[in-house]
Amino acid sequence: MDKTEHSVIAVDLGASSGRVIQTTLKEGRICLSERHRFSNSGISAMGRQYTDILYIYSEIIKGLQNVFRGGEGIDSVGIDAWGVDFVFLDSQGELVGNAYHYRDSQAAGMMERAAVNFGKGGLFQMTGVQDMWYNTVFQLMGIAARNPGRLQQAECFLMIADMISYLLTGNRNLEYTGVSTTQMYNMRYKRWENSILKRLNVEKSLFPEVLMTGEIKGYLSPQAANLAGAGIDARIPVIAAAQHDSACAAYAVPSEDPNYIFINSGTWSVIGSILDEPVITEEVYEKNFSNEGAAFGKIKLVKSIMGMWLIQELRRVWEKQGKNCEYDYLLREAEQAPAFSHMIDVEDELFVSPDNMEDAIHQYCEKTGQGRIHTQGEFYRTVVESLAFQYRKAVEDIESLTGKTADVLYFLGGAVKDQMFCQFIADASGKVVSAGPVEATAVGNALIQFRALGVVESERENGEILRKSFEIKRYLPRDTKIWTQMYAKYQNMLTK
């Protein structure tokens, strides 16, 4: 490999798919090469929802084999994943059962129990992290209530990305942005909140060392290196990327202004701003924002709402019905569908984990007096118009909470490819939308590795690299008058 060329592996684990992406930096440009992709939608069995962590590991190994089979050298590996989910290891370093998926029902009712034990908003005041039904703390409470044997066997807690690193290196450690999603980690002081652990009867010794973004988690073990085809003598570091995937995405914003607002749209939509310190106020709590970890010790003040999950679930229903589910077809149909025919609150509990998303949307429309939706295009358009309204509300709240105004919204992730949706966001918000990169999470993962390796000296270089490497489209707001009128109607619907 040319000395001016550096290559890393970004392992990006989303809630619906996983990718092994080789990322090369040469002459200030990034080039992505997807070496393996696999489905990762969770497994339903006997009334429980699981994540098959060993399957994920085996698929990552396949991706690494594809890299090393060509004799290509790499400088490092970094792993990111969705937040909140975790595994337990026993005294022998083996898994204590399968990992539960955050959509499992065992955390049901735990937020209410926590409000009794800690007071309403008590966990937020101690950690800076918003009460969300899927947070690790509520999952642990659910396990303790339903299956305490798991906790009794546990001697080590690892989050999903940390477990993959453990399988690759043999080292047990955690990473800052990942643990921030547990709602047991104090974001003011960057430490575990002992008062929460004691109340839950969880020993602090359960949690290994928390590394900061960019530190080395370990090196590929001889067994893993041999399995991956790198050879037992390979000494390849596994670097702590910002292991919470939205923190990786937020590191791939092509802006030179540090006071930006980003929207990362995947299965979930994450809207936020990067800060130096957490903002832990009653207003932040009431507006449902959270202080989560951002790369290299910073804070991202964010709101997480349902994202393309609704579209993913609609496509799953339509596939079973034998209907056309291709995105190009759905986009054409949506463009021809009437504007603002229906509106939905994408945060309604009906949409959390329905058996049939089409039926769930029908139920919502009927209970709000809107009537039924008739075509696939209408469904698609209803979802993305409603998401655009939700984004506007979140952006207004961020500007209110931080006292800073943004002229440009940085839109990241796979939904960037939907030009109609990008335009809707610009129209709804009245702001310019900068769309791209599409693979923001993997790109952010790689940029963090390049910085840790000393190839990129500072975050200031990121914007230039991103603009040279990817097509970044800009959407100017138009039709703002009608969108503002419909936004008022949307807000009125939410308050009924």
Side-chain angles (χ1 to χ4, degrees), residues 62 118-119 173 209 229 265 289 294 318 332 336 400 477 482 487-488:
K62 288 179 185 177
F118 298 98
N173 43 52
E209 179 186 8
S265 185
F289 276 74
W318 293 333
R332 288 195 303 271
Q336 296 171 15
S400 171
I482 184 64
Y487 179 59

Side-chain angles (χ1 to χ4, degrees), residues 60-82:
I60 291 169
I61 291 294
K62 288 179 185 177
L64 293 176
Q65 289 171 344
N66 291 340
V67 173
F68 293 119
R69 191 176 291 119
E72 300 167 59
I74 61 169
D75 296 306
S76 62
V77 176
I79 303 156
D80 67 76
W82 67 100

Side-chain angles (χ1 to χ4, degrees), residues 159-432:
M159 305 199 77
I160 297 299
D162 302 306
M163 180 62 193
I164 297 299
S165 294
Y166 169 61
L167 292 170
L168 288 172
T169 68
N171 290 356
R172 305 178 195 180
N173 43 52
L174 299 162
E175 186 271 336
Y176 163 69
T177 67
V179 300
S180 75
T181 69
T182 64
Q183 208 178 10
M184 299 183 292
Y185 192 78
N186 188 312
M187 298 305 293
R188 285 191 186 94
Y189 305 113
K190 295 181 174 59
R191 68 188 184 201
W192 294 105
E193 182 55 52
N194 286 326
S195 58
I196 297 175
L197 301 185
K198 288 179 180 178
R199 192 75 62 89
L200 298 178
N201 292 317
V202 173
E203 295 294 330
K204 191 176 178 181
S205 60
L206 188 67
F207 305 98
E209 179 186 8
V210 177
L211 302 182
M212 185 49 67
T213 313
E215 292 191 64
I216 293 177
K217 293 177 71 67
Y219 293 83
L220 291 187
S221 68
Q223 296 88 345
N226 190 51
L227 191 62
I232 60 174
D233 296 327
R235 186 165 173 80
I236 299 172
V238 175
I239 291 174
Q243 288 183 180
H244 187 202
D245 51 11
S246 68
C248 272
Y251 198 72
V253 172
S255 172
E256 294 180 354
D257 180 359
N259 299 318
Y260 57 78
I261 293 177
F262 69 91
I263 303 172
N264 185 34
S265 185
T267 301
W268 289 86
S269 292
V270 180
I271 303 100
S273 184
I274 304 300
L275 307 174
D276 291 325
E277 299 292 337
V279 183
I280 306 176
T281 65
E282 190 65 26
E283 187 180 10
V284 169
Y285 179 74
E286 292 300 327
K287 290 184 182 296
N288 212 27
F289 276 74
S290 188
N291 296 274
E292 296 178 355
F296 299 104
K298 292 190 176 182
I299 299 290
K300 52 185 173 68
L301 182 66
V302 294
K303 186 170 187 176
S304 299
I305 64 175
M306 294 288 187
M308 300 310 285
W309 161 253
L310 286 88
I311 298 296
Q312 292 165 5
E313 286 297 288
L314 282 170
R315 292 180 72 227
R316 186 171 65 86
V317 171
W318 293 333
E319 184 177 20
K320 288 182 179 179
Q321 296 173 349
K323 295 181 179 178
N324 191 337
C325 300
E326 296 299 320
Y327 273 109
D328 288 345
Y329 168 78
L330 295 175
L331 290 174
R332 288 195 303 271
E333 291 294 298
E335 288 172 353
Q336 296 171 15
F340 311 116
S341 65
H342 295 76
M343 298 177 177
I344 61 172
D345 177 4
V346 297
E347 287 291 270
D348 193 278
E349 62 182 16
L350 280 170
F351 309 135
V352 170
S353 189
D355 293 328
N356 185 309
M357 185 62 78
E358 195 176 70
D359 288 346
I361 292 175
H362 277 313
Q363 289 179 48
Y364 183 89
C365 290
E366 287 173 1
K367 80 175 184 178
T368 52
Q370 299 183 81
R372 294 176 69 83
I373 298 176
H374 299 290
T375 69
Q376 289 173 272
E378 286 182 62
F379 272 107
Y380 194 104
R381 187 162 188 141
T382 294
V383 170
V384 294
E385 284 178 346
S386 299
L387 277 172
F389 286 137
Q390 287 278 10
Y391 292 173
R392 171 171 172 167
K393 178 64 169 63
V395 168
E396 289 175 346
D397 286 341
I398 291 171
E399 292 180 333
S400 171
L401 293 170
T402 63
K404 299 174 183 177
T405 301
D407 296 322
V408 179
L409 303 180
Y410 290 89
F411 190 46
L412 313 164
V416 162
K417 292 181 284 188
D418 184 344
Q419 295 183 30
M420 181 183 70
F421 188 22
C422 294
Q423 187 62 56
F424 285 176
I425 297 167
D427 297 342
S429 66
K431 297 179 183 292
V432 175

